[in-house]
Amino acid sequence: MQLPRITPIEENIVCTKKDEISELVRNTLSNQEFSGVFLKIFAKDDTEKYYVTLLMDKRKLLASKVSLLSSKTEVIGDESLKILKRIINYPLVIDVYGLDEIELKISITDNLDIYNATPKIEIDKIFEETIVENKELAEKERILEEALKKKEVKKKEIEPESNLPSTVEQKVAPKKEKPSKKESKPKKRTKTLKPEITVEIIGGEIFKPILKEYTEEVLKEVQTLNGVSPQKIKITGEVGSGVIYLHVEFYGISEGEPNTRQMSERRVLYFINKHLPIIWRKAGLKPILSGARAKITGPGESFEEEKETLESKKKIAPRKIESNISVEAHESIKPYFSTYARAILQDIQNAGIDVEKMHLDIKGRSEHEINLTLWGKAPGKTHSQARSIVESILKTHAKEISRALNKYITVHRVQINLEETEGEVSESVKQILSKKEELEKEIEKLLKEVGVDELSSLTEEKRREIEENLIKPKVEPAIEALRRRLQNMFKDLPNSVFRWMRLDWELHRNEVLITLEASFDKRGSLIGVVSDDRIIEDATQVLNTAVQEISKEHNVPIKIKNVNINVR
């Protein structure tokens, strides 16, 4: 089948059960951005290799095609569904493509022949359990059960007389019971694998299902370890800016030797690291493993939980350390940053900025990022000058505390809210306004002396020219500063890559109207948890902030006329 040029959201996913395929489809269609899903499925048996393509919307199957690679034939319609139901429980390798409304309609029009030949059945019916009864097989199973019962009765009667028949029966019985052993394997797994799963996350409850999915993948890998029975797995997460800090604990039981248990613990730690990319792909957040522990004990032995995880249950709540200072950080690091906050406040005030209130938000445990919000006054300083002073002080103290704690610490966000003081209008603006009033009076005299109707259009054009000549030298530096400020701020946006921007402006009734066009690429997220709307919203917020700052710094009234932000 033909498909528009799009990248898959999942590649080379191995499914061994039809339930896994059904869950894969449901997870994709649960994303509001997708109206349909396209699957590429590969499977093989002893006689044939199968390449299946399926096109579905949110309710039903739209098109189905099976390519038999060994015999080089193609099957569509009802026959393709019969083949699919036959191979659905084979080990399958699957690629998943999410389709929006337009891509889905294009896919249908490109494959109309297959669409018309395919019966439109519900998605659940494709993956429902289909039991095909084989009369000969059922008859053989019945005869085998009767034979085993008779041999058990004979064994009890003959056992005292001789040991030879019993040894023969012991050899024969396991061979005949092989089918029952195959059926019992998954039952053992379901009995032993009932671990307690605990997921706690600070600052982003929306990501809890993704962490649970990550936990399930880790547990699937643990199932491959012989003799290990998982009892408990705990994940504590804290969402930062574009990252998520994780602490993972695993507890299990094994009847193996101590050396074997230690090897299993190392394998579990490997599994914990191996599946971290799931969080990166589906949440759009970079996972940072701040701590991991695997403890496997013998039967009857108890395992002790880490004290750190008990502390991590405490909520990270802001705490006031002074009347105008509050610090939000984990309990283990809050004392350090409380002292740090007092030193920052002192240095900022010494630099000539009157601080009314200051809030420090510290993210992370093994690595930290500093976010500062400040309210105050900066007489004689522009907003950009005050911001530069505060950032410089923050970075200096961050280096000192980084050396003291032996941790990587960065300054992430600085937000300053300054109150305006009276009399900040520059002398140049006053001169422009006075000249403008004089010109208006002269123009009014001319209009009265000479025909108003005839010269009105000329005087309007002349007025515009004079206004532009007077105001333009003041506006152009402000627009250039705004352009540079936007470029720097757009580059720092999370979950996107800034490509280009175009900024135009015009004068309208003593105001500067700007038109912005910008382009961004998505970063990291493959499933679309970070949506286009979120990136556009972040960029628009940055634009509004920059316009307000530049307007205050240059005393030029700037307003937004039109904004066009493209996300690819």
Side-chain angles (χ1 to χ4, degrees), residues 65-80:
K65 178 182 175 183
V66 178
S67 298
L68 306 177
L69 302 181
S70 299
S71 57
K72 296 181 180 180
T73 57
E74 294 182 349
V75 181
I76 61 175
D78 289 330
E79 292 299 323
S80 66

Side-chain angles (χ1 to χ4, degrees), residues 71-130:
S71 57
K72 296 181 180 180
T73 57
E74 294 182 349
V75 181
I76 61 175
D78 289 330
E79 292 299 323
S80 66
L81 288 177
K82 290 179 182 178
I83 295 173
L84 176 63
K85 289 187 176 182
R86 193 173 76 243
I87 66 171
I88 199 72
N89 281 320
Y90 289 7
L92 307 175
V93 180
I94 301 176
D95 291 349
V96 184
Y97 296 77
L99 304 174
D100 60 26
E101 187 175 356
I102 295 173
E103 290 167 344
L104 179 64
K105 287 178 169 56
I106 291 172
S107 301
I108 293 172
T109 55
D110 288 342
N111 303 279
L112 277 176
D113 294 341
I114 304 172
Y115 174 82
N116 293 330
T118 304
K120 308 304 181 286
I121 62 175
E122 299 292 330
I123 293 176
D124 294 337
K125 291 184 180 179
I126 302 173
F127 306 108
E128 69 183 359
E129 194 71 29
T130 52

Side-chain angles (χ1 to χ4, degrees), residues 443-502:
I443 290 169
E444 286 177 2
K445 288 180 181 179
L446 290 171
L447 289 173
K448 290 177 180 178
E449 291 174 1
V450 187
V452 177
D453 295 333
E454 295 177 2
L455 295 177
S456 60
S457 60
L458 295 174
T459 52
E460 280 297 322
E461 290 179 6
K462 193 66 177 177
R463 181 184 290 183
R464 285 195 211 100
E465 288 178 9
I466 293 169
E467 286 179 353
E468 288 181 4
N469 291 333
L470 289 173
I471 299 174
K472 208 170 184 180
K474 183 72 176 174
V475 172
E476 285 180 344
I479 295 298
E480 189 59 33
L482 178 61
R483 182 179 283 106
R484 289 194 299 270
R485 183 77 56 85
L486 283 173
Q487 287 174 345
N488 293 332
M489 294 176 81
F490 283 159
K491 288 175 184 176
D492 294 336
L493 284 176
N495 303 316
S496 64
V497 178
F498 173 60
R499 307 301 299 177
W500 57 267
M501 62 169 272
R502 179 181 176 182

